[in-house]
Amino acid sequence: MRILIIGGGIAGTAAALALNKAGIEVSVHEAHPDSGADIGAFLTLASNGMLALAQFGAAEAVAGIGFELTSMRLTGDTGSVVSTVPLGETGDPLRRFRCLRRAELGAVLREEAVRRGIAVHHGRRFVTASEDEKGVTAEFADGSTERGDLLLGADGIHSVVRPLTDPEAARPRYAGQRVFYGYTTDAAPPNEPGRIEMLRGSTAAMGYAVSPAGETFWFARVSAEELSDAEIADTAPAHWRDHLLPLLRPDATPAADIVAATDGRLMVTNARDLSTVTRWRTERMLLVGDAAHAASPATGQGASMALEDAVVLAKSLRDADDTRSALERYERLRRPRVERNIVNSARLTPSRAPSRLQRTLNNYRAKWKSRTASAAGRPAADGDSELARQLDWDTPLTADSPAVQGS
């Protein structure tokens, strides 16, 4: 079997690594000529994402570029601490939450793909594809074509492949918030190593973590009208900093001081997601990652869900009798989990999202109690144990494997 992967980001490269481990020939086709040079956003990889990386041998490489997050603290707008909870599987260094730049994660995965001899082609802008009973042919903007048995659309929320699998799919929708990301070495906010701080402000939600090198990674979510592409591209970082400060100054938190200490390393984007994509696949094409199930960033699970996709797809193709049953099994197992994540992220995103940060902590607290109960000899939550079985490389995926709900 030969699989063509459209998109060389996190979802596409992770899928290439997992499929390669399953003994399947793959090639990655990325539109951008290189990995990009902007500062980009950062992300957190949760324990489920780190577990998925471990299945295709990339967890150690990723752990080496990110820093650990082992707890989360919520502070209200008056400066009072509301709650602190542990994060992730703290007993295993390769299962702990990690904070890192999105571009860094993509680069590490691509380097690993090249090291393993996987073909990664840059500057290959996908245009369309045609399929027949023997395979699928991808066409690119430079006039070249590639032939394969299956094509994966891993080209993100603005996927070019999606209209081919589902011509009626809705366009990405604005989720109601602008999301700001920034970095500074000039701030000195309250922090402890490995702790992410969530600030429930009166008009904005903010989070930050300080790296071992003393760099503060921060984000802020503000409910406002959608920005145009021109506003995002052409507005200077100093403008956005000055826009944020009046929203943060009334609160007795470090938020305003962090933003004030940020110079040019600041960006803004619109939070977007996808409503349900009815058709993820045809006979010879399949959507994975954000191309199929993009969620707003509120739950912080986008990258981790894409990494899970990679493992479950590779195991489905490895363990099923034929391609059709493999894709059916993959979709049956993945849809409930990723669509639940879209719903949960959407609930945290609207204008009242700052007051809903408590719900996030409550969810983490419930998961932690489940895991500590398991460590004490009591059964783990069914969803956690079933997800672990689905991701474990050495555990076959059976036809009756139950689907797992999202976080």
Side-chain angles (χ1 to χ4, degrees), residues 112-330:
E112 187 64 21
V114 171
R115 189 186 70 79
R116 299 184 191 184
I118 297 171
V120 179
H121 304 285
H122 289 279
R124 302 293 300 279
R125 186 170 296 279
F126 174 80
V127 176
T128 191
S130 57
E131 52 189 323
D132 53 50
E133 61 183 19
K134 294 184 178 181
V136 59
T137 301
E139 300 178 23
F140 300 92
D142 61 4
S144 63
T145 62
E146 291 283 346
R147 182 78 173 167
D149 299 293
L150 181 67
L151 182 145
L152 297 188
D155 49 344
I157 191 170
H158 299 293
S159 173
V160 181
V161 179
R162 189 189 307 120
L164 301 178
T165 65
D166 189 355
E168 304 301 319
R171 295 175 60 84
R173 61 187 179 185
Y174 180 52
Q177 286 188 333
R178 303 171 182 178
V179 185
F180 299 81
Y181 298 93
Y183 308 90
T184 177
T185 54
D186 295 329
N191 72 93
E192 288 185 4
R195 187 173 71 200
I196 185 167
E197 306 281 352
M198 305 297 286
L199 309 178
R200 187 173 63 190
S202 55
T203 58
M206 185 173 182
Y208 72 88
V210 181
S211 76
E215 185 176 27
T216 301
F217 289 50
W218 64 266
F219 71 87
R221 302 202 310 267
V222 177
S223 297
E225 293 181 356
E226 182 177 9
L227 293 167
S228 68
D229 291 343
E231 287 175 302
I232 292 174
D234 299 336
T235 305
H239 170 86
W240 297 121
R241 182 184 61 207
D242 295 343
H243 171 77
L244 273 175
L245 286 174
L247 303 177
L248 304 175
R249 283 291 183 202
D251 299 328
T253 73
D257 290 339
I258 293 171
V259 173
T262 302
D263 49 23
R265 297 189 300 162
L266 190 159
M267 63 172 289
V268 63
T269 187
N270 294 309
R272 292 194 175 101
D273 65 6
L274 286 172
S275 56
T276 299
V277 178
T278 304
R279 295 184 63 198
W280 282 10
R281 57 190 167 88
T282 62
E283 289 295 318
R284 299 283 180 175
M285 290 185 276
L286 172 72
L287 303 177
V288 296
D290 279 356
H293 51 74
S296 72
T299 59
Q301 276 284 332
S304 294
M305 291 290 176
L307 297 172
E308 289 182 11
D309 282 357
V311 176
V312 176
L313 175 60
K315 290 181 61 178
S316 295
L317 288 166
R318 181 196 69 185
D319 298 341
D321 294 332
D322 54 70
T323 301
R324 173 177 288 185
S325 60
L327 299 188
E328 289 175 350
R329 183 178 305 175
Y330 168 80

Side-chain angles (χ1 to χ4, degrees), residues 48-106:
N48 55 309
M50 294 300 297
L51 176 61
L53 284 168
Q55 306 313 306
F56 50 87
E60 288 190 16
V62 171
I65 59 169
F67 60 93
E68 294 179 359
L69 297 175
T70 55
S71 67
M72 177 169 60
R73 184 172 73 171
L74 173 62
T75 300
D77 59 347
T78 64
S80 60
V81 174
V82 178
S83 186
T84 303
V85 296
L87 286 180
E89 306 291 343
T90 55
D92 182 350
L94 293 183
R95 293 285 299 277
R96 295 172 187 164
F97 277 51
R98 295 277 167 173
C99 183
L100 68 165
R101 288 172 172 84
R102 178 176 294 274
E104 292 174 331
L105 176 58

